[in-house]
Amino acid sequence: MKKVMVIIDESNSSYDLLVWVLTNLKDVIDSSKVVIFAKQPQNSFTPPTALSSSVGFAQIFYPFSANAELMRLAQEKNTKIALGILDKAKKLCGNHGVKADTFTDVGDVKDIIHKIIQERKINLIAISDQQNRNLKKCLPTTECSLVVVK
């Protein structure tokens, strides 16, 4: 029994990839579940922790404590988006009679993919040609097969 993982994002090409996998790899995935992964973007917004104002030679600092709250709100938004993407993907799988495990994570893609392959014993990863350009640095070292769909 082979485990197939499909890496998706919000692009239409990701859903086309998933449909291609469900249609063309039907024999492989009939005996197992498809694993669908959507990476959450890392928060790159870092607001200042203090605002300063110059008055002659003196500077006045105003503490700005909303940093943690802004980061939490941004992460919540990213999680909701990723879960929405995965929900749509799971419905597509259901329409093809395939059960899917879906999950999302935050962090470096290279580390996440290697962790997933190890923990879930993935045999085959399917990605789009567009994703291949972004992921080609981390995928050559994986211990499973890779299908790139154009």
Side-chain angles (χ1 to χ4, degrees):
M1 175 164 71
K2 288 192 174 202
K3 281 198 168 181
V4 178
M5 180 169 77
V6 181
I7 301 172
I8 64 169
D9 56 28
E10 71 280 358
S11 69
N12 285 334
S13 63
S14 286
Y15 296 109
D16 293 341
L17 166 68
L18 181 57
V19 170
W20 186 92
V21 167
L22 294 171
T23 304
N24 294 293
L25 299 180
K26 185 81 169 153
D27 295 338
V28 175
I29 59 177
D30 269 346
S31 60
S32 65
K33 288 184 177 178
V34 173
V35 176
I36 303 171
F37 172 71
K39 181 192 171 297
Q40 295 178 39
Q42 288 181 308
N43 293 326
S44 59
F45 176 71
T46 309
T49 55
L51 299 176
S52 65
S53 174
S54 294
V55 181
F57 292 108
Q59 286 191 342
I60 303 170
F61 289 92
Y62 303 98
F64 187 78
S65 63
N67 188 14
E69 182 65 14
L70 288 174
M71 296 298 284
R72 185 188 64 75
L73 291 172
Q75 189 58 49
E76 281 180 11
K77 179 183 172 195
N78 290 341
T79 301
K80 285 180 185 178
I81 291 169
L83 292 174
I85 291 167
L86 291 172
D87 187 50
K88 181 177 177 182
K90 198 167 191 172
K91 287 177 184 173
L92 275 172
C93 289
N95 292 342
H96 284 81
V98 174
K99 291 186 179 182
D101 285 336
T102 60
F103 63 101
T104 183
D105 204 347
V106 179
D108 181 29
V109 175
K110 181 179 181 179
D111 296 335
I112 294 170
I113 289 175
H114 285 285
K115 180 178 138 187
I116 294 166
I117 290 169
Q118 296 294 323
E119 289 177 358
R120 297 186 182 243
K121 298 180 178 26
I122 302 294
N123 304 103
L124 177 71
I125 296 177
I127 61 173
S128 69
D129 186 43
Q130 179 183 352
Q131 290 170 326
N132 186 37
R133 285 180 240 138
N134 298 332
L135 298 174
K136 76 169 61 169
K137 291 179 185 173
C138 64
L139 291 177
T141 59
T142 60
E143 301 92 27
C144 62
S145 301
L146 175 67
V147 174
V148 180
V149 180
K150 292 188 179 204

